[in-house]
Amino acid sequence: KEFVQIWYPEVPIWGRISIIHSALLLLCCKIGNKLFGDFNSGIALFSIIHMLLGAFVLAYETVFLYALKRKKYIYFVSVCYFMFAPVIALFSGCSNSTIFGSLLSTLLLLRFYEIFCLDSLKEKSIARKIAGYAGFAILAILTCHIRSSFSFLFSLMTVYVIVKKIKKPQKIIYMAAVFVMIFAFNKGIVKIVNAENPPDSELFSIPVQQLANVYVKNGEAAFSEDESEVLFKYFAKGHFDFYCPWCADAIKLGLNDEEFEKRPGDFWKLWIK
């Protein structure tokens, strides 16, 4: 979906997918196409960028933990985990924005702890302080744009600053300002590129998947006649053939968004039952 919207100008940009992440993908694909006449080499470059960011963030985290505890075994445990954990092996080369966003959110958490909990900028020069706070703001904006769902993480950080650092109002003002910048940036970039608003159903992957799961496992016997009538307003019967237990996308993309927008109440009643 992300590739299609950036490679084909006639396909409208979708507001739910990170525009900056998509722009980076487009740049890589154009470089690959220019050098090798094949966009697949551009996607390979895009994956390499993900892997480099992954290596940087995980190395940063290892050094951070060692500096915090001063225990050498942390190096060994951390390196072994990132060498052998299946999730790292599986996703390190993935070009999905979820991976990029997760790495950025990890880095954001570490920088937040350094700046606000350890007060690491306290003894720095004015220039270093400005650079530190500006860098944190840019990182927060990028993280909450690449995966907007991570904005809840920044909300928790803001609450922490308000509760724990109440004697330093300048930090509260700073966090509030960054929060506003995140919101303004996301709204602004969607407006600039005239991105389409995604359907509401995009937010409800789990309920949609759960409803499909009941039908796939139990068939129409699990539904009354009236319930079946409601169910098939939202789904074509044959679409359940695409059900995948570990990924909601196949079912979610088959949902009748127009019907969902008109009668969301019927969907939620059926799901609750």
Side-chain angles (χ1 to χ4, degrees), residues 52-161:
L52 289 174
L53 178 64
F56 170 77
V57 172
L58 300 179
Y60 191 98
E61 183 179 41
T62 301
V63 173
F64 169 83
L65 289 173
Y66 174 73
L68 204 61
K69 297 294 183 181
R70 294 291 175 186
K71 303 288 185 181
K72 289 187 178 180
Y73 73 84
I74 289 176
Y75 278 131
F76 177 76
V77 172
S78 185
V79 169
C80 284
Y81 172 75
F82 294 128
M83 280 174 63
F84 299 114
V87 67
I88 303 299
L90 182 63
F91 290 123
S92 62
C94 179
S95 59
N96 193 297
S97 63
T98 306
I99 309 305
F100 219 77
S102 297
L103 290 168
L104 289 176
S105 67
T106 300
L107 189 58
L108 183 66
L109 272 172
L110 296 177
R111 289 298 294 146
F112 174 81
Y113 193 85
E114 287 176 324
I115 293 174
F116 291 93
C117 301
L118 300 179
D119 214 3
S120 62
L121 297 178
K122 185 178 181 180
E123 305 299 328
K124 304 294 184 184
S125 64
I126 296 294
R128 291 286 297 276
K129 284 182 179 178
I130 291 172
Y133 283 113
F136 179 84
I138 292 169
L139 181 59
I141 291 168
L142 278 177
T143 302
C144 297
H145 171 70
I146 296 292
R147 292 296 290 181
S148 57
S149 56
F150 289 134
S151 56
F152 84 93
L153 181 69
F154 194 80
S155 303
L156 292 177
M157 294 178 185
T158 306
V159 170
Y160 175 85
V161 170

